[in-house]
Amino acid sequence: MTNSPRRRSDRLLHLAVALFGIGILAVVGIFLTPIVSDSEPGLWLYLLAMLVPVGFLLGLGFALWSGRRAR
């Protein structure tokens, strides 16, 4: 094993996965709220759900950035 420091792009991938995961959990929460209770989902769930495309775009940017050829 090498003890190389984490690259900035590795952090970008972790951030993308975290944001995407939080957004997916919010989407699940939006669908489960009316089933579990008789109330509407809160605005904060809808705002958190908007993290799904943000995480997706960051992951796409990571894939494009890490796929560059070395010269």
Side-chain angles (χ1 to χ4, degrees):
M1 294 193 110
T2 61
N3 290 332
S4 63
R6 288 188 180 238
R7 296 180 302 186
R8 184 172 182 251
S9 62
D10 291 342
R11 292 184 192 146
L12 180 64
L13 178 63
H14 291 290
L15 178 66
V17 169
L19 291 178
F20 189 82
I22 291 169
I24 289 294
L25 288 176
V27 170
V28 170
I30 288 170
F31 284 110
L32 287 180
T33 299
I35 295 171
V36 174
S37 67
D38 253 354
S39 63
E40 295 283 325
L43 176 65
W44 61 275
L45 276 176
Y46 289 107
L47 293 176
L48 282 178
M50 291 193 304
L51 292 177
V52 172
V54 172
F56 180 76
L57 289 175
L58 286 176
L60 186 64
F62 167 79
L64 293 173
W65 190 14
S66 65
R68 291 184 302 170
R69 287 188 182 176
R71 290 184 178 212

